[in-house]
Amino acid sequence: MSLPSTQSAVRFDHHGGAEVLDLVEVPVPSPGPGEILIRNVAVGLNFIDIYQRTGLYPLPLPSGLGKESAGVVEAVGEGVTRFKVGDRVATATAPVGAYSQFHLMPETAAVAVPDDISLEVAAAVMLKGMTAEFLVNRAFHVKQGDEILLHAAAGGVGLILGQWAKSLGATVIGTVGSEAKAELAKAHGSDHVILYDREDVAARVKDITKGRGVAVAYDSVGQDTFEASLASLKRRGTLVLFGNASGPVPPFDPLRLSRGGSLYVTRPTLFDYVATVEELDASAAALFAVIRSGAVKVEIGQTFPLAEVRQAHEALAGRKTTGSTLLIP
Protein backbone atom coordinates (compact mmCIF):
# COMPACT_ATOMS: atom_id res chain seq x y z
CA MET A 1 0.00 0.00 0.00
CA SER A 2 1.45 3.36 -1.01
CA LEU A 3 1.81 6.13 1.53
CA PRO A 4 -0.42 9.24 1.38
CA SER A 5 1.20 12.47 0.27
CA THR A 6 -0.11 14.50 3.22
CA GLN A 7 -0.96 13.91 6.86
CA SER A 8 -2.57 15.65 9.84
CA ALA A 9 -0.05 17.03 12.31
CA VAL A 10 0.02 19.54 15.17
CA ARG A 11 2.06 22.70 14.64
CA PHE A 12 2.57 25.98 16.51
CA ASP A 13 4.43 29.14 15.53
CA HIS A 14 4.60 30.99 18.86
CA HIS A 15 4.74 30.01 22.52
CA GLY A 16 1.70 30.30 24.73
CA GLY A 17 -1.39 28.49 25.95
CA ALA A 18 -3.11 25.51 24.39
CA GLU A 19 -4.73 27.83 21.85
CA VAL A 20 -1.41 28.13 19.95
CA LEU A 21 -1.71 24.49 18.82
CA ASP A 22 -3.22 23.93 15.37
CA LEU A 23 -3.98 20.74 13.46
CA VAL A 24 -2.77 21.23 9.90
CA GLU A 25 -2.07 19.23 6.75
CA VAL A 26 1.63 18.75 6.01
CA PRO A 27 3.58 16.53 3.62
CA VAL A 28 4.43 12.98 4.68
CA PRO A 29 8.25 13.00 4.84
CA SER A 30 10.54 10.43 3.26
CA PRO A 31 13.23 8.85 5.43
CA GLY A 32 16.81 9.82 4.74
CA PRO A 33 19.93 7.82 5.61
CA GLY A 34 19.58 6.23 9.04
CA GLU A 35 15.95 7.29 9.42
CA ILE A 36 12.65 5.42 9.74
CA LEU A 37 9.11 6.61 9.02
CA ILE A 38 6.63 5.52 11.69
CA ARG A 39 2.85 5.41 11.26
CA ASN A 40 1.70 6.37 14.74
CA VAL A 41 -1.00 4.24 16.35
CA ALA A 42 -0.98 6.23 19.61
CA VAL A 43 0.85 9.27 20.96
CA GLY A 44 1.69 9.94 24.60
CA LEU A 45 1.03 13.32 26.20
CA ASN A 46 3.62 14.60 28.70
CA PHE A 47 4.39 17.68 30.76
CA ILE A 48 7.51 18.30 28.71
CA ASP A 49 5.14 18.98 25.79
CA ILE A 50 3.52 21.74 27.84
CA TYR A 51 6.92 23.15 28.85
CA GLN A 52 7.92 23.30 25.19
CA ARG A 53 4.61 24.79 24.11
CA THR A 54 4.79 27.57 26.71
CA GLY A 55 8.47 28.34 26.08
CA LEU A 56 9.79 27.14 29.44
CA TYR A 57 11.82 24.74 27.31
CA PRO A 58 11.84 26.81 24.09
CA LEU A 59 11.86 25.17 20.67
CA PRO A 60 12.89 26.77 17.37
CA LEU A 61 9.61 27.91 15.81
CA PRO A 62 7.51 27.01 13.91
CA SER A 63 7.55 23.49 15.29
CA GLY A 64 5.74 20.25 15.79
CA LEU A 65 5.32 18.80 19.26
CA GLY A 66 5.51 15.50 21.11
CA LYS A 67 8.25 12.98 21.88
CA GLU A 68 6.38 9.80 22.79
CA SER A 69 4.58 7.52 20.35
CA ALA A 70 4.24 3.95 19.18
CA GLY A 71 3.41 2.58 15.78
CA VAL A 72 4.57 0.61 12.78
CA VAL A 73 7.56 1.25 10.52
CA GLU A 74 6.26 2.20 7.06
CA ALA A 75 9.55 3.07 5.32
CA VAL A 76 13.28 2.97 6.05
CA GLY A 77 16.13 5.07 4.78
CA GLU A 78 19.47 4.04 3.40
CA GLY A 79 21.71 2.17 5.82
CA VAL A 80 19.01 1.36 8.40
CA THR A 81 19.82 -1.90 10.20
CA ARG A 82 17.85 -1.78 13.49
CA PHE A 83 14.40 -2.00 11.89
CA LYS A 84 12.52 -3.09 8.79
CA VAL A 85 9.13 -2.18 7.32
CA GLY A 86 6.36 -3.68 9.46
CA ASP A 87 8.27 -3.63 12.75
CA ARG A 88 6.45 -2.39 15.86
CA VAL A 89 8.41 0.45 17.46
CA ALA A 90 8.13 3.16 20.08
CA THR A 91 9.92 6.45 20.67
CA ALA A 92 10.39 8.77 23.62
CA THR A 93 13.23 11.10 22.65
CA ALA A 94 14.02 13.90 20.22
CA PRO A 95 13.25 15.03 17.60
CA VAL A 96 9.83 16.38 18.46
CA GLY A 97 6.91 15.83 16.11
CA ALA A 98 5.05 12.81 17.50
CA TYR A 99 1.72 14.69 17.43
CA SER A 100 1.12 13.47 13.89
CA GLN A 101 -0.05 10.55 11.80
CA PHE A 102 3.49 9.85 10.58
CA HIS A 103 6.73 10.59 12.42
CA LEU A 104 10.25 10.60 11.00
CA MET A 105 12.89 9.41 13.47
CA PRO A 106 16.54 8.39 13.52
CA GLU A 107 16.63 4.61 13.91
CA THR A 108 18.82 5.10 16.98
CA ALA A 109 15.98 6.95 18.76
CA ALA A 110 13.43 4.13 18.51
CA VAL A 111 13.09 0.82 20.33
CA ALA A 112 11.41 -2.41 19.31
CA VAL A 113 8.10 -3.13 21.04
CA PRO A 114 7.74 -6.78 22.12
CA ASP A 115 4.76 -8.66 20.68
CA ASP A 116 3.20 -9.06 24.14
CA ILE A 117 3.10 -5.28 24.76
CA SER A 118 0.33 -3.37 22.95
CA LEU A 119 1.25 -0.26 20.98
CA GLU A 120 -1.21 1.74 23.09
CA VAL A 121 0.55 0.66 26.28
CA ALA A 122 3.93 1.40 24.72
CA ALA A 123 2.82 4.92 23.74
CA ALA A 124 1.43 5.45 27.22
CA VAL A 125 4.53 4.30 29.02
CA MET A 126 7.74 4.89 27.06
CA LEU A 127 8.75 8.36 28.21
CA LYS A 128 7.08 8.08 31.62
CA GLY A 129 8.25 4.50 32.16
CA MET A 130 11.87 5.06 31.18
CA THR A 131 11.77 8.16 33.38
CA ALA A 132 10.63 5.99 36.28
CA GLU A 133 13.36 3.48 35.42
CA PHE A 134 16.24 5.93 35.65
CA LEU A 135 14.75 7.61 38.71
CA VAL A 136 14.51 4.43 40.80
CA ASN A 137 17.58 2.67 39.41
CA ARG A 138 20.12 5.36 38.60
CA ALA A 139 19.35 8.95 39.69
CA PHE A 140 18.80 7.38 43.10
CA HIS A 141 19.09 3.64 43.64
CA VAL A 142 15.96 2.59 45.53
CA LYS A 143 16.53 -0.50 47.64
CA GLN A 144 14.72 -2.75 50.10
CA GLY A 145 13.64 -0.83 53.19
CA ASP A 146 13.93 2.69 51.76
CA GLU A 147 11.18 5.17 52.61
CA ILE A 148 10.48 7.49 49.69
CA LEU A 149 8.29 10.53 49.02
CA LEU A 150 6.57 10.69 45.64
CA HIS A 151 4.74 13.84 44.60
CA ALA A 152 1.97 13.60 41.98
CA ALA A 153 1.64 9.92 42.85
CA ALA A 154 -1.48 9.56 40.66
CA GLY A 155 0.15 11.13 37.59
CA GLY A 156 1.63 9.36 34.60
CA VAL A 157 5.13 8.93 36.04
CA GLY A 158 3.84 8.64 39.60
CA LEU A 159 1.68 5.57 39.02
CA ILE A 160 4.57 3.76 37.36
CA LEU A 161 7.28 4.89 39.78
CA GLY A 162 5.14 4.04 42.82
CA GLN A 163 4.64 0.46 41.65
CA TRP A 164 8.26 0.05 40.60
CA ALA A 165 9.62 1.37 43.91
CA LYS A 166 7.18 -0.85 45.82
CA SER A 167 8.41 -3.88 43.88
CA LEU A 168 11.96 -3.01 44.98
CA GLY A 169 10.92 -3.16 48.63
CA ALA A 170 10.44 0.54 49.35
CA THR A 171 7.76 2.14 51.48
CA VAL A 172 6.09 4.72 49.24
CA ILE A 173 4.54 7.92 50.60
CA GLY A 174 2.56 9.59 47.81
CA THR A 175 1.07 13.07 47.58
CA VAL A 176 -2.08 13.78 45.55
CA GLY A 177 -4.70 16.48 45.12
CA SER A 178 -7.98 14.63 45.67
CA GLU A 179 -9.59 11.63 47.37
CA ALA A 180 -10.11 9.95 43.99
CA LYS A 181 -6.42 10.33 43.16
CA ALA A 182 -5.55 9.04 46.63
CA GLU A 183 -7.39 5.78 45.90
CA LEU A 184 -5.64 5.49 42.56
CA ALA A 185 -2.22 6.05 44.13
CA LYS A 186 -2.94 3.43 46.82
CA ALA A 187 -3.82 0.94 44.10
CA HIS A 188 -0.50 1.63 42.37
CA GLY A 189 2.16 1.27 45.03
CA SER A 190 1.62 4.06 47.56
CA ASP A 191 1.54 2.73 51.14
CA HIS A 192 0.59 6.14 52.54
CA VAL A 193 -1.10 9.05 50.75
CA ILE A 194 -1.02 12.73 51.71
CA LEU A 195 -3.51 15.26 50.33
CA TYR A 196 -1.03 18.06 49.68
CA ASP A 197 -3.59 20.89 49.69
CA ARG A 198 -5.13 19.84 53.02
CA GLU A 199 -2.18 18.56 55.05
CA ASP A 200 1.32 19.69 56.01
CA VAL A 201 3.33 17.34 53.79
CA ALA A 202 6.63 17.49 55.68
CA ALA A 203 4.92 17.07 59.07
CA ARG A 204 2.98 14.05 57.82
CA VAL A 205 6.12 12.53 56.33
CA LYS A 206 7.96 12.89 59.63
CA ASP A 207 4.96 11.37 61.42
CA ILE A 208 4.78 8.39 59.03
CA THR A 209 8.54 7.78 59.24
CA LYS A 210 8.61 8.26 63.03
CA GLY A 211 10.79 11.34 62.68
CA ARG A 212 13.36 9.83 60.33
CA GLY A 213 12.40 11.50 57.09
CA VAL A 214 12.69 9.87 53.66
CA ALA A 215 15.78 8.69 51.82
CA VAL A 216 14.61 10.33 48.60
CA ALA A 217 11.88 12.73 47.49
CA TYR A 218 10.80 12.54 43.84
CA ASP A 219 9.41 15.94 42.87
CA SER A 220 7.94 16.73 39.46
CA VAL A 221 5.78 19.59 40.78
CA GLY A 222 8.55 22.08 41.50
CA GLN A 223 7.80 25.46 42.97
CA ASP A 224 4.79 24.47 45.12
CA THR A 225 6.41 21.40 46.68
CA PHE A 226 10.13 22.22 46.86
CA GLU A 227 10.13 23.40 50.46
CA ALA A 228 8.11 20.40 51.67
CA SER A 229 10.39 18.06 49.75
CA LEU A 230 13.55 19.44 51.38
CA ALA A 231 11.95 19.38 54.81
CA SER A 232 10.91 15.75 54.36
CA LEU A 233 14.41 14.37 53.80
CA LYS A 234 16.42 12.45 56.36
CA ARG A 235 20.10 13.20 56.98
CA ARG A 236 22.03 12.85 53.69
CA GLY A 237 18.72 12.42 51.84
CA THR A 238 18.31 13.19 48.16
CA LEU A 239 15.81 15.45 46.43
CA VAL A 240 15.31 14.47 42.79
CA LEU A 241 13.64 17.31 40.90
CA PHE A 242 12.43 16.07 37.54
CA GLY A 243 9.66 18.49 36.59
CA ASN A 244 8.12 21.93 37.08
CA ALA A 245 4.36 21.38 36.89
CA SER A 246 3.71 24.33 39.24
CA GLY A 247 6.59 26.44 37.93
CA PRO A 248 10.39 26.43 38.31
CA VAL A 249 12.04 26.30 41.73
CA PRO A 250 13.37 29.73 42.80
CA PRO A 251 17.11 30.15 43.38
CA PHE A 252 18.25 28.99 46.82
CA ASP A 253 21.42 29.13 48.93
CA PRO A 254 23.28 25.77 48.78
CA LEU A 255 24.20 26.31 52.44
CA ARG A 256 20.63 25.23 53.19
CA LEU A 257 21.60 21.71 52.16
CA SER A 258 24.30 21.63 54.82
CA ARG A 259 21.96 22.96 57.48
CA GLY A 260 19.26 20.47 56.48
CA GLY A 261 21.52 17.48 57.11
CA SER A 262 24.07 17.37 54.27
CA LEU A 263 21.32 16.95 51.69
CA TYR A 264 21.65 16.30 47.97
CA VAL A 265 19.62 17.94 45.19
CA THR A 266 19.73 16.80 41.57
CA ARG A 267 17.83 17.94 38.48
CA PRO A 268 18.13 15.07 35.99
CA THR A 269 16.48 14.60 32.62
CA LEU A 270 15.72 11.31 30.91
CA PHE A 271 17.67 12.23 27.81
CA ASP A 272 20.98 12.16 29.69
CA TYR A 273 20.18 8.65 30.89
CA VAL A 274 19.32 7.24 27.43
CA ALA A 275 22.01 9.16 25.56
CA THR A 276 23.37 6.09 23.77
CA VAL A 277 21.61 3.31 21.89
CA GLU A 278 22.83 0.86 24.52
CA GLU A 279 21.36 2.93 27.36
CA LEU A 280 18.09 3.41 25.47
CA ASP A 281 17.69 -0.30 24.77
CA ALA A 282 18.60 -1.25 28.35
CA SER A 283 16.13 1.20 29.86
CA ALA A 284 13.33 0.06 27.55
CA ALA A 285 14.13 -3.59 28.25
CA ALA A 286 13.95 -3.00 32.00
CA LEU A 287 10.62 -1.22 31.55
CA PHE A 288 9.08 -3.95 29.41
CA ALA A 289 10.32 -6.54 31.91
CA VAL A 290 8.54 -4.99 34.90
CA ILE A 291 5.35 -4.63 32.85
CA ARG A 292 5.59 -8.25 31.72
CA SER A 293 6.19 -9.43 35.30
CA GLY A 294 3.05 -7.67 36.51
CA ALA A 295 5.00 -5.50 38.96
CA VAL A 296 3.96 -2.41 36.99
CA LYS A 297 0.48 -2.06 35.51
CA VAL A 298 0.01 0.77 33.03
CA GLU A 299 -2.94 3.06 33.68
CA ILE A 300 -4.30 4.80 30.55
CA GLY A 301 -6.53 7.36 32.19
CA GLN A 302 -7.92 9.13 29.14
CA THR A 303 -7.63 9.35 25.35
CA PHE A 304 -8.28 12.24 22.97
CA PRO A 305 -8.46 12.38 19.18
CA LEU A 306 -5.48 14.27 17.75
CA ALA A 307 -7.94 16.99 16.67
CA GLU A 308 -8.67 17.64 20.37
CA VAL A 309 -5.06 18.35 21.27
CA ARG A 310 -5.95 21.69 22.87
CA GLN A 311 -8.44 20.07 25.23
CA ALA A 312 -5.90 17.38 26.08
CA HIS A 313 -3.27 19.99 27.01
CA GLU A 314 -5.76 21.93 29.12
CA ALA A 315 -6.73 18.78 31.01
CA LEU A 316 -3.11 17.84 31.73
CA ALA A 317 -2.06 21.36 32.71
CA GLY A 318 -5.12 21.67 34.95
CA ARG A 319 -4.20 18.43 36.78
CA LYS A 320 -7.52 16.92 35.67
CA THR A 321 -5.94 13.74 34.34
CA THR A 322 -4.89 10.50 35.97
CA GLY A 323 -2.34 8.05 34.69
CA SER A 324 -1.25 8.35 31.08
CA THR A 325 -3.02 10.39 28.43
CA LEU A 326 -3.05 9.32 24.78
CA LEU A 327 -3.69 11.21 21.56
CA ILE A 328 -5.05 8.99 18.78
CA PRO A 329 -4.10 10.13 15.25
Side-chain angles (χ1 to χ4, degrees):
M1 185 177 70
S2 61
L3 294 171
S5 59
T6 63
Q7 62 161 325
S8 296
V10 172
R11 295 287 187 270
F12 66 114
D13 58 15
H14 60 283
H15 295 115
E19 72 280 354
V20 305
L21 301 176
D22 291 310
L23 189 66
V24 299
E25 286 294 309
V26 299
V28 173
S30 297
E35 293 181 329
I36 59 175
L37 180 68
I38 304 168
R39 175 177 54 81
N40 286 331
V41 170
V43 177
L45 188 67
N46 295 280
F47 262 101
I48 192 171
D49 306 343
I50 292 175
Y51 302 156
Q52 290 174 333
R53 186 203 75 213
T54 61
L56 180 63
Y57 298 172
L59 293 171
L61 298 177
S63 178
L65 198 62
K67 290 176 172 289
E68 183 180 48
S69 66
V72 178
V73 176
E74 292 289 344
V76 300
E78 181 183 352
V80 168
T81 58
R82 277 171 64 80
F83 304 106
K84 64 183 185 302
V85 171
D87 282 352
R88 304 164 78 247
V89 297
T91 68
T93 58
V96 297
Y99 288 13
S100 57
Q101 291 177 298
F102 294 89
H103 191 198
L104 197 62
M105 292 289 290
E107 65 168 333
T108 52
V111 299
V113 177
D115 290 340
D116 58 351
I117 304 290
S118 76
L119 291 174
E120 289 78 10
V121 165
V125 80
M126 285 305 300
L127 194 148
K128 290 172 278 289
M130 290 197 300
T131 295
E133 183 279 320
F134 91 78
L135 289 174
V136 300
N137 286 336
R138 295 184 281 161
F140 180 92
H141 182 65
V142 175
K143 60 188 183 301
Q144 178 78 34
D146 279 343
E147 295 168 306
I148 77 169
L149 176 62
L150 173 59
H151 290 293
V157 173
L159 292 179
I160 298 167
L161 195 156
Q163 295 176 84
W164 205 324
K166 183 69 174 175
S167 76
L168 295 172
T171 297
V172 181
I173 304 169
T175 74
V176 297
S178 70
E179 295 285 358
K181 289 187 175 184
E183 292 306 311
L184 191 60
K186 287 176 184 176
H188 292 78
S190 289
D191 298 283
H192 308 274
V193 178
I194 300 170
L195 295 170
Y196 62 80
D197 56 351
R198 304 182 201 175
E199 303 176 84
D200 182 323
V201 171
R204 284 281 289 122
V205 166
K206 290 299 177 69
D207 179 54
I208 292 167
T209 62
K210 296 180 169 53
R212 292 182 296 270
V214 293
V216 61
Y218 290 110
D219 192 338
S220 62
V221 179
Q223 181 175 297
D224 290 353
T225 50
F226 175 72
E227 294 293 338
S229 294
L230 272 186
S232 296
L233 295 174
K234 71 177 185 179
R235 185 177 293 114
R236 299 191 305 275
T238 299
L239 171 52
V240 182
L241 291 160
F242 67 102
N244 316 279
S246 66
V249 172
F252 67 96
D253 183 354
L255 191 59
R256 290 187 58 192
L257 304 179
S258 171
R259 292 169 178 161
S262 298
L263 306 177
Y264 297 86
V265 176
T266 183
R267 181 57 172 89
T269 178
L270 168 65
F271 310 108
D272 287 322
Y273 283 82
V274 292
T276 67
V277 172
E278 292 77 16
E279 289 172 337
L280 177 65
D281 285 345
S283 185
L287 172 60
F288 292 140
V290 294
I291 294 172
R292 188 177 293 113
S293 74
V296 169
K297 295 177 175 61
V298 179
E299 183 80 22
I300 300 174
Q302 47 281 310
T303 63
F304 294 84
L306 188 60
E308 295 179 9
V309 62
R310 293 180 180 179
Q311 294 94 315
H313 267 237
E314 288 168 351
L316 183 63
R319 301 187 191 180
K320 297 176 182 176
T321 63
T322 57
S324 296
T325 301
L326 293 182
L327 297 171
I328 306 301

